[in-house]
Amino acid sequence: MSTVADRLAKKSTRKTGGKQVRLRLVYVDFWSAVKLSFLAAVAMAIVTMVSFFLIYLVLQTTGLLAGADDFVGQITDNSVSLASLMGLPQVMAFAAVVSILNLIVFTVLGAVVAGIYNLAVKVTGGLLVGFMSN
């Protein structure tokens, strides 16, 4: 079975100084993909929590939250207060909910992508990867 990648590999006439190895990736382990996507999602959750905290601090320090609170108070005759709705505990709770949802979604997405790749390998023959030692 000759694929386009095999034909392109044969056309390569450039001599290399080191030994060159071409491998075909024909299977991605399901549990390894789930574990890797979970770890990436945990790192993303940490970044999300820290970024929400820093953005809140910047908005609080620059006075944009106080200005927005005054603006909303003028529109609603002080019946709605943004200061009570957007305090640090509420912002961090929202960030935690977003982080947990992202954690679940990215972990499941990693598993789905591994499954789709394993099915696509049956049609395409896999991914040709070249390695070279210097």
Side-chain angles (χ1 to χ4, degrees):
M1 179 167 124
S2 178
T3 63
V4 175
D6 291 333
R7 282 184 260 150
L8 287 175
K10 289 178 186 175
K11 284 185 180 180
S12 153
T13 59
R14 183 174 57 109
K15 290 289 185 185
T16 59
K19 184 177 179 180
Q20 196 171 24
V21 177
R22 294 189 187 272
L23 299 174
R24 188 173 305 276
L25 181 61
V26 295
Y27 178 73
V28 175
D29 185 44
F30 179 77
W31 288 114
S32 295
V34 170
K35 288 187 281 187
L36 184 64
S37 63
F38 177 75
L39 288 177
V42 167
M44 193 172 177
I46 292 170
V47 168
T48 301
M49 295 291 289
V50 171
S51 64
F52 268 67
F53 180 71
L54 291 177
I55 289 171
Y56 178 80
L57 284 182
V58 167
L59 291 177
Q60 186 71 28
T61 305
T62 58
L64 286 175
L65 285 179
D69 190 25
D70 291 340
F71 179 73
V72 170
Q74 289 174 357
I75 292 174
T76 62
D77 294 330
N78 291 329
S79 63
V80 176
S81 172
L82 281 184
S84 64
L85 294 175
M86 290 183 53
L88 184 60
Q90 290 85 5
V91 169
M92 294 312 291
F94 179 73
V97 168
V98 168
S99 297
I100 290 170
L101 289 176
N102 278 342
L103 187 92
I104 294 168
V105 167
F106 278 103
T107 303
V108 170
L109 191 61
V112 168
V113 167
I116 289 173
Y117 181 80
N118 288 336
L119 289 175
V121 162
K122 297 179 190 296
V123 176
T124 62
L127 184 67
L128 187 63
V129 182
F131 296 100
M132 182 173 54
S133 65
N134 289 332

